[in-house]
Amino acid sequence: MKYVMVNAAACVLLACNTTQPEQTNLAQQLAAGKWIDLGYDLSDQTLYWPNNPTGFKLDTTAAGITPAGFYYSTYAFSAPEHGGTHLDAPSHFAENGVGVDKLTLEQLTGEAVVIDVSAKAQQNRDYLVTTNDIGEWENTNGKIEAGMMVFFKTGYGKFYPDAEKYFGTAERGAAAIPKLHFPGIDSAAAQWLADHKIKAVGIDTPSIDVGQSKNFKTHQVLMGAGIPGFENVANIDALPARGAYIVALPMKIKNGSGGPLRLIAWVAKG
Amino acid sequence: MKYVMVNAAACVLLACNTTQPEQTNLAQQLAAGKWIDLGYDLSDQTLYWPNNPTGFKLDTTAAGITPAGFYYSTYAFSAPEHGGTHLDAPSHFAENGVGVDKLTLEQLTGEAVVIDVSAKAQQNRDYLVTTNDIGEWENTNGKIEAGMMVFFKTGYGKFYPDAEKYFGTAERGAAAIPKLHFPGIDSAAAQWLADHKIKAVGIDTPSIDVGQSKNFKTHQVLMGAGIPGFENVANIDALPARGAYIVALPMKIKNGSGGPLRLIAWVAKG
């Protein structure tokens, strides 16, 4: 037995069973593609905003042969919420927005579209994604529908974790913030995405706002609309323009404003 | 157009296209079920082993209206790797085992079976799951195949986060460890699971080893075989005996021995 796509006439012919497919067939369908990891690991190389005094730290609690004769290792970690591949929850920029633990699995899973602005962004470190970019993409690829996730590919992911090339500066401390230069999303484009009721926004730069942003208006718009952001997305080149299925699972920090994100995409085998 | 199950004869009739289904149909298939969250959130209520001096901590870096006039909140966290709903990587108990960041998405996704031992475990806090339990389950539900994930339901999840009821003691410190009483998996059963090349083991208690374990033999066996463990699994009641599809995404700590786990299951709508 197999699943095939048939039209309505053939269904009449076959007296098709119109009940939903069973669970075991989901695994079969998933086997027709593969999961791709869209996240970086967390280490002392993980990139954080320049004014974060500490990055990701891992301390050894135990590592070696125990007195009882078996091997055992365990560690403890500490980090700011917002660094590496991470999620911004609505409460990051919206006082009444939900925290990272309250985002539903319905919101954190779904189909992705990928809007490639890398040709422009590679020539301009301060490139702002506009509603025109979205419109041009739709002209070629079809409409973006409510409930989709929208990823923007700037091409900057290839620089990670080289801070100089990725952030525009490798300097640390508050004085480095005005020196940040990387592409982001214009607030009018953010409003377009909010108006179209997308589930989430992802980008292969440190922030959905451009590096030179002072007021983080794009964060304000999206998070004000309850839409989370995925930042420092890895391997975005592996995603097709349409059709990837995303599972985005942030660390479930109670009342957190965001946190480390495991972000994966299912894509059909090429 | 729709997906239907047809037999080979009908396929000849229809000149079925035998290529794999396209990506967009995955989302349609997933819409026939729902994702269920099998994890607890991380907070100061999160349960850790009694000798962990600190638990999960969240410190406020900023929370309020900025001088520029917009709301902004951000936090920093710290925790041991092994607490709450978390994953044990092979390197936790195997010197040459892979760390949590090296587990492949192939290993972290797949079909789950759920073996319910709660009737016995509710009557015996020190209950050890045996190969007999697995055999009885197979007699009723069919064979456990290589590449499946095996979850054990003891019923203790309902006690979380009440340490007295869940751990068997609410005391803290090394002196409390001998007072731990909760069900776990016998090392012979663990060997059976390793021999059958399952992908992962999950349980709704603090550990895959019983609370009274001194040598953590079940950890040694499974992690020695490269099989990760999921501990403190939540909402296990929501899983069917067969047919759930699991996505297990641990915090991607480079060279970590484990870490906080986002664990979700897709199940068909009832």
Side-chain angles (χ1 to χ4, degrees), chain A residues 139-169:
Chain A
N139 287 342
T140 303
N141 298 281
K143 291 293 179 192
I144 293 170
E145 291 166 26
M148 288 182 166
M149 297 186 183
V150 180
F151 286 72
F152 294 98
K153 173 180 164 182
T154 69
Y156 279 55
K158 68 183 174 191
F159 299 136
Y160 190 97
D162 181 330
E164 178 76 31
K165 292 179 179 171
Y166 191 68
F167 275 133
T169 179

Side-chain angles (χ1 to χ4, degrees), chain A residues 1-7 10-11 13-14 16 18 20-21 23-27 29-30 32 35-37 39-43 56 58 70-82 91-95 105 109 111 215-216 220 240 242-243 245 247 249-255 257 260 262 264 266-268, chain B residues 1-7 10-11 13-14 16 18 20-21 23-27 29-30 32 35-37 39-43 56 58 70-82 91-95 105 109 111 215-216 220 240 242-243 245 247 249-255 257 260 262 264 266-268:
Chain A
M1 301 291 272
K2 62 175 68 174
Y3 276 91
V4 296
M5 203 160 73
V6 298
N7 62 25
C11 257
L13 188 67
L14 287 166
C16 287
T18 58
Q20 296 296 352
Q23 288 160 303
T24 49
N25 293 306
L26 176 65
Q29 184 134 352
L30 287 165
W35 291 105
I36 291 170
D37 198 331
Y40 301 112
D41 61 19
L42 292 160
S43 75
F56 182 83
L58 192 64
F70 58 85
Y71 179 84
Y72 177 69
S73 75
T74 188
Y75 305 86
F77 54 81
S78 61
E81 289 175 325
H82 299 269
S91 68
H92 190 34
F93 276 84
E95 191 158 12
L105 298 181
T109 56
E111 291 184 70
N215 61 5
F216 303 98
Q220 292 185 55
R242 292 194 88 108
Y245 181 85
V247 174
L249 295 177
M251 192 173 164
K252 200 173 176 178
I253 302 169
K254 186 173 183 178
N255 298 327
S257 74
R262 287 301 303 259
I264 66 174
W266 185 91
V267 297
Chain B
M1 302 290 273
K2 62 175 69 174
Y3 276 91
V4 296
M5 204 161 70
V6 297
N7 62 23
C11 258
L13 187 67
L14 288 165
C16 287
T18 57
Q20 296 296 352
Q23 290 159 305
T24 48
N25 293 306
L26 176 66
Q29 185 132 352
L30 287 165
W35 290 105
I36 291 171
D37 198 332
Y40 302 112
D41 62 20
L42 292 160
S43 75
F56 182 83
L58 192 65
F70 58 85
Y71 179 84
Y72 177 69
S73 75
T74 187
Y75 305 85
F77 55 81
S78 62
E81 289 174 326
H82 299 269
S91 68
H92 190 34
F93 275 84
E95 191 159 11
L105 298 181
T109 56
E111 291 185 70
N215 61 5
F216 303 97
Q220 292 184 55
R242 293 193 86 109
Y245 181 86
V247 174
L249 295 177
M251 192 174 164
K252 200 174 178 180
I253 302 170
K254 187 173 184 179
N255 298 324
S257 74
R262 285 303 302 260
I264 66 174
W266 185 91
V267 298

Side-chain angles (χ1 to χ4, degrees), chain A residues 38-69:
Chain A
L38 303 180
Y40 301 112
D41 61 19
L42 292 160
S43 75
D44 57 9
Q45 299 301 303
T46 298
L47 293 184
Y48 289 86
W49 214 248
N51 63 337
N52 263 322
T54 58
F56 182 83
K57 290 190 177 170
L58 192 64
D59 295 315
T60 305
T61 308
I65 306 296
T66 65

Side-chain angles (χ1 to χ4, degrees), chain B:
Chain B
M1 302 290 273
K2 62 175 69 174
Y3 276 91
V4 296
M5 204 161 70
V6 297
N7 62 23
C11 258
V12 171
L13 187 67
L14 288 165
C16 287
N17 182 347
T18 57
T19 57
Q20 296 296 352
E22 291 177 15
Q23 290 159 305
T24 48
N25 293 306
L26 176 66
Q28 290 169 10
Q29 185 132 352
L30 287 165
K34 60 182 174 180
W35 290 105
I36 291 171
D37 198 332
L38 303 179
Y40 302 112
D41 62 20
L42 292 160
S43 75
D44 57 9
Q45 299 300 302
T46 298
L47 293 184
Y48 289 86
W49 214 249
N51 64 338
N52 264 324
T54 58
F56 182 83
K57 290 190 176 170
L58 192 65
D59 294 314
T60 304
T61 308
I65 305 296
T66 64
F70 58 85
Y71 179 84
Y72 177 69
S73 75
T74 187
Y75 305 85
F77 55 81
S78 62
E81 289 174 326
H82 299 269
T85 304
H86 72 283
L87 180 143
D88 286 1
S91 68
H92 190 34
F93 275 84
E95 191 159 11
N96 298 316
V98 298
V100 66
D101 57 316
K102 304 296 192 307
L103 291 166
T104 65
L105 298 181
E106 168 63 24
Q107 180 143 21
L108 294 170
T109 56
E111 291 185 70
V113 301
V114 180
I115 300 178
D116 184 353
V117 297
S118 59
K120 295 168 180 169
Q122 292 293 310
Q123 293 181 13
N124 176 8
R125 290 199 65 91
D126 301 315
Y127 186 71
L128 267 170
V129 175
T130 66
T131 50
N132 278 347
D133 290 317
I134 300 173
E136 287 177 16
W137 186 91
E138 282 194 322
N139 288 341
T140 303
N141 299 281
K143 292 291 179 192
I144 294 170
E145 293 167 25
M148 287 181 165
M149 297 185 182
V150 181
F151 286 73
F152 294 98
K153 173 179 163 181
T154 69
Y156 279 55
K158 69 183 174 192
F159 299 136
Y160 191 98
D162 180 330
E164 178 76 31
K165 293 180 178 172
Y166 190 68
F167 275 132
T169 178
E171 293 179 35
R172 303 291 303 164
I177 292 177
K179 302 179 183 178
L180 293 171
H181 289 279
F182 53 78
I185 305 162
D186 179 55
S187 62
Q191 188 61 56
W192 188 98
L193 295 167
D195 292 344
H196 285 72
K197 302 188 185 308
I198 64 158
K199 280 185 181 174
V201 172
I203 195 164
D204 59 345
T205 71
S207 174
I208 55 175
D209 270 292
V210 71
Q212 284 289 293
S213 176
K214 301 284 188 296
N215 61 5
F216 303 97
K217 186 72 177 170
T218 288
H219 279 85
Q220 292 184 55
V221 167
L222 290 170
M223 278 145 222
I227 298 170
F230 310 148
E231 297 170 331
N232 298 318
V233 173
N235 299 325
I236 203 164
D237 287 342
L239 298 181
R242 293 193 86 109
Y245 181 86
I246 299 289
V247 174
L249 295 177
M251 192 174 164
K252 200 174 178 180
I253 302 170
K254 187 173 184 179
N255 298 324
S257 74
L261 175 67
R262 285 303 302 260
L263 183 66
I264 66 174
W266 185 91
V267 298
K269 279 176 184 160

